[in-house]
Amino acid sequence: MQNLDLVKLTEQYGSPLFVYDATVIERQYNRLTNAFSQVDLKLHYACKALNNQAILKLMRSFGAGLDTVSIEEVHLGLKAGFTPEEIMYTPNGVSFEEIKQAVELGAQINIDNLVMLEKFGHEYGHSYPVCVRLNPHILAGGNHKISVGHIDSKFGVSIHQVRHLKRLIEAYNLHVNGVHMHTGSDILDIEAFLRGAELLMDIALDFPELEYIDFGSGFKVPYKPSDAETNIEELGEKMSALFADFCKQYGKQLTLVFEPGKYLVSQAGVFLASVNVVKQTTATVFAQINSGFNHFIRPMFYDAYHHITNASNPNGQPRIYTVTGYICETDTFGWDRSINEIREGDILCFNNAGAYVFTMASNYNSRIKPAEVLLVDGQAHLISRRQNIDDILATQVDVGNLFDKPVESI
Ligand SMILES: *Cc1c(COP(=O)(O)O)cnc(C)c1O
C-alpha cells in the first residue's frame, strides 16, 4: 500500500481507520500451506484475531476452517457460511451449558479440563466426538501474558494427568477424535515447539479413534523492521517428517491442524490516525493522535511494539517523537521513535494492526469505533462502518421520567 493511497482512504472513510489487505492474508495462508504440503494439513483460522464477516468469508474461500473460543464466535462462523464441522470450539473456563450449546450447533468440541470432560462423557458417552486439549508444559511464547503452555498455565489437561484422562475416557467410552495443544503466541524457538509436538504425538499413540492432531498456533511475525519471525519453511520440513513417522506408527493417515490467527492477519492490517497536536515539552516532543488505547490497546496492554510511520510526509526529515493518544490516562503508542517530521493533521500509520487490535477495541471515554476497510485486488471495500453516538446508546435502556421527582432518600 502506498502512503498516498492510505491518506486518500482516510479522506474517503474518515480517520482513524483500519485498513486490511486481502493479498497479504492470502500470501500468509499460502506460505503456511506450502510449507506443509507434504502432510494432510487443515488450517483453522483463529477468529478472535480479527472477526469481521468479510475476513471470515475470505478465509473460507481459501478452504480454511475456523477456531473459536466462545459460543458467540461459533455463531459468527456459522453466519459466515462455515459448516458446523469446520468450526472448532476451544473454550477455557466456560460453563457446561455453553459447551452443550456448541454441541447443539454441531461444532467440533475441544475440552481442556477433566471436570468438563467427565460431564461431557456423562451427557454424550460415545455419541459425540470430542478433542482433548493437553498441556505439554513447554516454555514457548513471547511474554508471560501470551505464553499459555507452561506449568502454571490455566490451559489444557496436564500431560502428567494422562492416566486420569485415560481412565475417564474408558469409564465413559468417550469418542476422542483429536488431541490438541496451544502453547502461546510468538514462538521463535522451533526446537521447543517440536519438543512439545513430539510429546503430544507420543501421547496420541494411546488414543485409537483419532482423526487429527491439532498443534495450535503461535507463529511469530515481525513487528520491527529488524525482527525475526518463525521460520515456517524449516518448521514445515521438520514437523512434516515427524508427523509422517507418527502416522506410520499410528497406522493411519491423520490430519495435521494448525490454528493461526496472528500469522494470517497481523501484517495485513494498518491503523491510520490523524495528528491533533504536536507538543514540545521540556523533555520530549509529543505527537498526539485522534485515538488511544480504546482503539488500539496492545502497546499499553502487552508492551507491544508497533512500527509507526508518517504516511503524509514519507520524505520528511526524521525526528524523535513520543506518540500518544487522547485518552485521559496514560496511553503511549511509542516512546522516542524516529519518524519523518510530523505536522498537525498528518496521518500516522501503525503496522501489524490486523490481529488483536479491532477485536480488542472498546468505547472507553465514550469514543466511537473507527471504520474498517478491506482491500481486494487494490479495490477498497468498507467492511464495517464507523460507529456513531446512537451505537453507543443502542443497548442502554431509557429510564424515562424515573428521576423527574427527587429520589427518596434511603
Ligand atoms: C488465540 C488462539 C489461537 C491463535 O493464536 P495466534 O497467536 O493468534 O496465532 C489459536 N488457538 C487457540 C486455542 C487460541 O486461543
Side-chain angles (χ1 to χ4, degrees):
M1 270 177 281
Q2 299 296 312
N3 286 307
L4 255 174
D5 298 337
L6 293 176
V7 174
K8 268 206 196 105
L9 286 174
T10 62
E11 285 159 11
Q12 191 177 351
Y13 296 101
S15 151
L17 182 69
F18 287 93
V19 181
Y20 313 116
D21 189 345
T23 315
V24 176
I25 300 176
E26 187 172 18
R27 179 195 77 202
Q28 293 295 96
Y29 191 90
N30 289 339
R31 207 175 141 197
L32 201 48
T33 47
N34 288 339
F36 286 86
S37 58
Q38 300 303 311
V39 293
D40 179 23
L41 178 77
K42 179 84 182 174
L43 296 183
H44 287 161
Y45 168 57
C47 71
K48 72 177 188 287
L50 183 63
N51 66 3
N52 188 283
Q53 286 284 299
I55 301 294
L56 302 197
K57 286 176 179 171
L58 179 69
M59 295 296 178
R60 207 178 137 250
S61 78
F62 299 153
L66 209 61
D67 186 73
T68 62
V69 293
S70 69
I71 199 72
E72 287 85 348
E73 285 187 352
V74 176
H75 282 292
L76 291 183
L78 291 171
K79 191 159 166 52
F82 289 93
T83 63
E85 307 81 59
E86 291 172 315
I87 300 177
M88 173 71 126
Y89 170 67
T90 303
N92 172 265
V94 303
S95 68
F96 191 61
E97 273 313 303
E98 190 170 310
I99 292 173
K100 272 166 51 179
Q101 286 171 31
V103 169
E104 276 155 31
L105 293 172
Q108 171 64 44
I109 311 294
N110 189 0
I111 290 188
D112 91 331
N113 75 76
L114 295 177
V115 178
M116 284 297 158
L117 203 61
E118 189 157 6
K119 286 190 187 175
F120 195 90
H122 191 72
E123 186 83 19
Y124 303 106
H126 197 268
S127 70
Y128 201 94
V130 65
C131 176
V132 180
R133 178 173 186 169
L134 291 158
N135 189 335
H137 306 304
I138 55 160
L139 261 182
N143 75 39
H144 69 282
K145 281 188 192 160
I146 53 176
S147 179
V148 294
H150 56 81
I151 194 85
D152 293 326
S153 165
K154 68 167 183 163
F155 296 96
V157 174
S158 167
I159 52 170
H160 304 303
Q161 289 176 300
V162 164
R163 277 182 60 79
H164 188 175
L165 170 64
K166 281 188 200 152
R167 236 178 273 134
L168 278 183
I169 292 170
E170 245 166 64
Y172 291 100
N173 190 21
L174 279 160
H175 179 184
V176 177
N177 71 339
V179 285
H180 169 275
M181 72 174 204
H182 173 65
T183 52
S185 220
D186 282 2
I187 293 160
L188 253 192
D189 184 352
I190 289 180
E191 296 307 323
F193 188 82
L194 291 175
R195 269 202 306 285
E198 276 183 303
L199 279 171
L200 188 63
M201 286 188 273
D202 265 356
I203 292 168
L205 288 171
D206 287 347
F207 295 79
E209 294 184 290
L210 294 184
E211 288 156 31
Y212 60 87
I213 300 189
D214 186 335
F215 293 95
S217 175
F219 309 120
K220 183 171 169 49
V221 298
Y223 278 74
K224 288 180 194 166
S226 60
D227 260 359
E229 62 184 313
T230 308
N231 187 335
I232 290 292
E233 287 72 26
E234 186 189 342
L235 181 68
E237 205 171 297
K238 292 186 170 169
M239 181 117 185
S240 299
L242 286 178
F243 193 70
D245 282 350
F246 163 79
C247 289
K248 211 179 282 169
Q249 213 179 333
Y250 189 75
K252 187 179 164 195
Q253 194 56 52
L254 301 189
T255 302
L256 190 163
V257 180
F258 279 123
E259 315 160 333
K262 186 181 274 189
Y263 186 79
L264 296 180
V265 296
S266 175
Q267 296 163 95
V270 294
F271 178 64
L272 304 168
S274 317
V275 175
N276 284 337
V277 182
V278 181
K279 178 175 179 176
Q280 169 87 60
T281 64
T282 44
T284 184
V285 184
F286 286 100
Q288 291 195 272
I289 60 169
N290 63 342
S291 182
F293 68 71
N294 50 326
H295 297 150
F296 200 144
I297 201 171
R298 291 178 44 78
M300 290 302 295
F301 195 33
Y302 301 117
D303 291 325
Y305 177 97
H306 285 267
H307 200 63
I308 307 171
T309 55
N310 185 350
S312 301
N313 193 17
N315 301 315
Q317 180 68 32
R319 296 184 57 191
I320 303 297
Y321 297 93
T322 291
V323 179
T324 67
Y326 58 17
I327 290 291
C328 292
E329 261 177 71
T330 303
D331 62 344
T332 308
F333 288 98
W335 291 102
D336 295 336
R337 297 292 184 85
S338 171
I339 301 172
N340 297 104
E341 184 174 2
I342 298 177
R343 304 146 311 180
E344 208 177 291
D346 279 357
I347 298 294
L348 298 192
C349 175
F350 297 72
N351 285 1
N352 292 80
Y356 306 106
V357 184
F358 191 85
T359 48
M360 289 183 134
S362 77
N363 290 115
Y364 188 48
N365 278 206
S366 305
R367 294 289 187 179
I368 56 176
K369 291 186 197 174
E372 293 173 284
V373 166
L374 178 64
L375 301 178
V376 183
D377 298 327
Q379 192 77 34
H381 300 263
L382 184 67
I383 59 170
S384 76
R385 63 159 174 81
R386 171 209 286 270
Q387 286 187 321
N388 57 46
I389 191 70
D390 292 334
D391 291 317
I392 292 183
L393 286 168
T395 51
Q396 296 192 19
V397 177
D398 186 353
V399 296
N401 61 4
L402 182 61
F403 301 116
D404 283 1
K405 292 187 305 242
V407 181
E408 278 175 44
S409 58
I410 25 176

